[in-house]
């Protein structure tokens, strides 16, 4: 078995030097590449599956945190550019969907190669004209954040009950949630010339259906909204269904 690629922002558990496609996975607020643990084996052997870590967590633990979305998108732009020499696609869950969309927008705005496909999961489309203040969840008390994470299943019980673990984790989470709080301040721009699929949990109370159904206006090739049983982290219970759908979708775009 080939060794896992060196540690850093990109984890490739089964590196492929000349892949048919590279598929990049962006994680949720406070998360890491471990959200997608076990996914690689469900994709074709000639696909290079790249699991990403934002700075300050996972295999990018040594890098300083980034709490500004434009800076985080720029970081991933610099990091991933050497790997965008093959057909590629993006999938992002929760705040990871915002980053994947932002990177796709940046590539389009700079007239560079675009992903074959963009998958966004459990995150609202940008609505800068929406009424009401930003979410402000990054400013909530520790107790409120812990309760919210318990309700959404966004962190293991051990982390939420151990003060030392929580104190190390809370700054990472607050920085990531700050990205979500400022999302609606960015103008959506013209529709992307990239096929886009939306995913969500049928019982999600963090991002509800009406926040997902505005995504089609951001692409000129909308491939549908797919919901699964479960709440905000529905994908942990539907790994095989999701990987099958992603494989079919990207495969059809790769070989039209």
């Amino acid at each position: 078995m080939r060794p896992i690629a060196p540690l850093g922002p990109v984890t490739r558990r089964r590196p492929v030097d000349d892949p048919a496609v590279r598929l990049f996975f962006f994680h949720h607020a406070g998360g890491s590449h471990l959200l997608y643990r076990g996914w690689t084996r469900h994709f074709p052997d000639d696909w290079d599956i790249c699991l990403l870590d934002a700075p300050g967590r996972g295999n990018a633990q040594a890098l300083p945190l980034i709490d500004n979305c434009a800076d985080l998108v720029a970081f991933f732009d610099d990091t991933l550019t050497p790997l965008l020499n093959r057909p590629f696609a993006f999938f992002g869950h929760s705040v990871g969907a915002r980053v994947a969309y932002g990177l796709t927008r940046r590539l389009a705005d700079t007239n560079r190669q675009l992903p074959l496909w963009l998958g966004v999961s459990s995150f609202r489309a940008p609505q800068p004209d929406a009424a009401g203040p930003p979410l402000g969840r990054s400013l909530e008390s520790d107790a409120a954040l812990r309760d919210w994470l318990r309700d959404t299943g966004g962190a293991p019980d051990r982390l939420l009950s151990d003060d030392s673990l929580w104190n190390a984790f809370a700054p990472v989470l607050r920085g990531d949630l700050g990205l979500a709080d400022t999302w609606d301040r960015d103008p959506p721009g013209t529709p992307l010339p990239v096929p886009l699929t939306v995913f969500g949990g049928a019982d999600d109370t963090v991002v509800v259906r009406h926040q997902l159904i505005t995504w089609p206006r951001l692409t000129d090739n909308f491939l549908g909204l797919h919901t699964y049983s479960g709440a905000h982290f529905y994908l942990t219970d539907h790994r095989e269904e999701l990987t099958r759908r992603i494989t079919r979708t990207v495969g059809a775009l790769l070989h039209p």
Side-chain angles (χ1 to χ4, degrees):
M1 178 180 291
R2 295 184 58 180
I4 296 173
L7 299 183
V10 184
T11 297
R12 300 158 68 201
R13 298 200 173 278
R14 187 193 62 200
V16 181
D17 293 332
D18 188 24
V21 65
R22 282 200 171 98
L23 185 53
F24 296 91
F25 287 92
F26 298 78
H27 60 74
H28 59 293
S32 74
H33 75 278
L34 294 177
L35 175 67
Y36 303 107
R37 179 166 37 193
W39 285 45
T40 298
R41 66 175 177 266
H42 294 288
F43 291 103
D45 289 342
D46 62 348
W47 288 25
D48 195 14
I49 307 305
C50 301
L51 312 180
L52 305 180
D53 280 310
R57 82 288 316 281
N59 291 332
Q61 184 85 37
L63 299 177
L65 291 170
I66 297 176
D67 59 6
N68 175 279
C69 194
D71 291 344
L72 185 56
V73 168
F75 168 82
F76 278 121
D77 188 0
D78 292 341
T79 300
L80 301 187
T81 291
L83 294 172
L84 303 185
N85 60 345
R86 301 293 297 156
F88 63 95
F90 294 153
F91 178 92
H93 177 69
S94 195
V95 170
R98 189 267 179 267
V99 179
Y101 171 82
L103 180 53
T104 304
R105 173 66 62 188
R106 182 181 173 103
L107 294 174
D109 290 346
T110 52
N111 297 310
R112 285 181 287 161
Q113 183 67 37
L114 295 173
L116 288 169
W117 174 77
L118 172 63
V120 293
S121 169
S122 297
F123 204 72
R124 65 193 188 279
Q127 295 178 280
D129 53 349
L135 295 178
R137 189 164 282 126
S138 62
L139 304 178
E140 291 183 352
S141 68
D142 280 359
L145 277 180
R146 281 169 149 167
D147 287 344
W148 177 70
L149 288 171
R150 287 190 184 95
D151 291 342
T152 62
D157 290 339
R158 179 168 173 265
L159 185 151
L160 298 175
S161 59
D162 186 312
D163 286 342
S164 62
L165 291 176
W166 171 259
N167 290 336
F169 171 72
V172 177
L173 176 65
R174 290 185 186 280
D176 287 355
L177 290 175
L179 303 179
D181 288 347
T182 59
W183 168 236
D184 284 338
R185 299 177 190 176
D186 294 342
T190 57
L192 288 170
V194 175
L196 184 149
T197 306
V198 180
F199 301 86
D203 306 309
D204 192 349
T205 58
V206 178
V207 179
V208 295
R209 184 179 177 85
H210 77 81
Q211 293 175 304
L212 298 176
I213 60 176
T214 53
W215 276 104
R217 67 192 177 96
L218 299 181
T219 175
D220 60 12
N221 188 1
F222 181 61
L223 300 182
L225 166 63
H226 302 282
T227 57
Y228 299 81
S229 62
H232 193 61
F233 289 92
Y234 72 92
L235 73 175
T236 60
D237 295 322
H238 297 280
R239 178 176 61 194
E240 293 187 18
E241 295 167 79
L242 281 163
T243 53
R244 279 197 302 269
R245 184 174 293 279
I246 293 170
T247 300
R248 288 197 304 268
T249 302
V250 175
L253 293 166
L254 189 62
H255 303 292

